[in-house]
Amino acid sequence: MKWTLNQLQKYRDKEFSIDDTIRVDELKLDDPTIREVSPMQITGRGDIDSSKVTFHLKIEGYLILPCSRTLVDVKFPINVETTETFLLQNSVYQTEEEVHQVKGDMIDLKPIIREILLLEVPMQVFCDDVQSEDAAPQSGKDWEVIQEEEQSNKIDPRLAGLAKFFDKNNSSES
């Protein structure tokens, strides 16, 4: 995922498609919670003109991270779309997005892909396979794991009498 400016200028005003698989195993050194990194599939295209090179990329793969409850391995899918712009000269480029300055005569996407993947690592990840013997228990004595959706429809028993109060007022107004 490294090109010289001369290689890229050959594709000026032409289609420059990207379809490559890269390994970014050094992510494990950057973030010790990452246990494994799959090969990342990079697809997309590059738009090259005289002042800038813009890459429209899709990054797909997965990371193996520890479950926040049990430390069991969890396969966390990565599916990221990004646009990265490199300025070829020291010109001022007005945009909302972040741009990169080209240092020397090489454009290397691997450090940027590495940074994007590090930003995708969640603060917490949970094992969804509750049937696994390594997974966290879902219930115990006087407790159980509940989902927020399940709780939103339940009426607090302490407030059940209040609901009847409003029903009485509505029937007396009619």
Side-chain angles (χ1 to χ4, degrees):
M1 306 271 346
K2 197 185 281 193
W3 302 277
T4 64
L5 296 180
N6 288 336
Q7 286 174 319
L8 291 174
Q9 288 301 331
K10 291 177 187 175
Y11 291 99
R12 186 189 291 187
D13 302 325
K14 295 179 186 171
E15 184 174 329
F16 179 67
S17 61
I18 299 168
D19 189 1
D20 200 1
T21 302
I22 64 169
R23 298 208 50 93
V24 280
D25 291 327
E26 56 273 2
L27 277 179
K28 294 188 278 187
L29 301 174
D30 295 332
D31 186 348
T33 63
I34 299 174
R35 294 183 175 169
E36 193 63 43
V37 181
S38 76
M40 294 293 163
Q41 179 68 35
I42 313 295
T43 56
R45 64 179 166 74
D47 298 329
I48 299 129
D49 65 31
S50 62
S51 63
K52 65 180 174 21
V53 178
T54 304
F55 293 99
H56 306 278
L57 304 173
K58 183 172 186 176
I59 305 167
E60 296 177 293
Y62 64 88
L63 303 173
I64 301 293
L65 302 169
C67 174
S68 295
R69 288 187 192 123
T70 63
L71 301 178
V72 171
D73 286 351
V74 176
K75 186 175 180 179
F76 182 75
I78 298 290
N79 189 356
V80 180
E81 291 187 24
T82 184
T83 301
E84 301 296 329
T85 302
F86 290 84
L87 297 181
L88 300 179
Q89 292 106 17
N90 289 334
S91 60
V92 177
Y93 183 68
Q94 298 294 327
T95 182
E96 295 285 323
E97 64 189 52
E98 182 180 329
V99 294
H100 309 279
Q101 290 288 338
V102 176
K103 296 178 180 90
D105 66 340
M106 242 356 182
I107 292 180
D108 188 5
L109 285 179
K110 194 168 182 179
I112 291 159
I113 291 170
R114 212 167 113 192
E115 181 180 319
I116 290 167
L117 292 174
L118 282 173
L119 291 173
E120 286 297 309
V121 175
M123 296 285 280
Q124 293 182 330
V125 64
F126 297 106
C127 178
D128 288 336
D129 185 15
V130 295
Q131 304 304 323
S132 170
E133 63 185 47
D134 293 332
Q138 297 297 303
S139 63
K141 183 177 181 195
D142 299 330
W143 70 273
E144 68 178 308
V145 176
I146 56 171
Q147 300 297 324
E148 190 172 330
E149 297 84 34
E150 296 171 6
Q151 276 302 100
S152 64
N153 296 333
K154 289 185 179 177
I155 296 176
D156 188 340
R158 297 171 294 183
L159 302 176
L162 187 60
K164 294 175 190 172
F165 175 77
F166 285 116
D167 287 341
K168 291 178 187 175
N169 282 346
N170 288 339
S171 63
S172 65
E173 290 176 7
S174 302

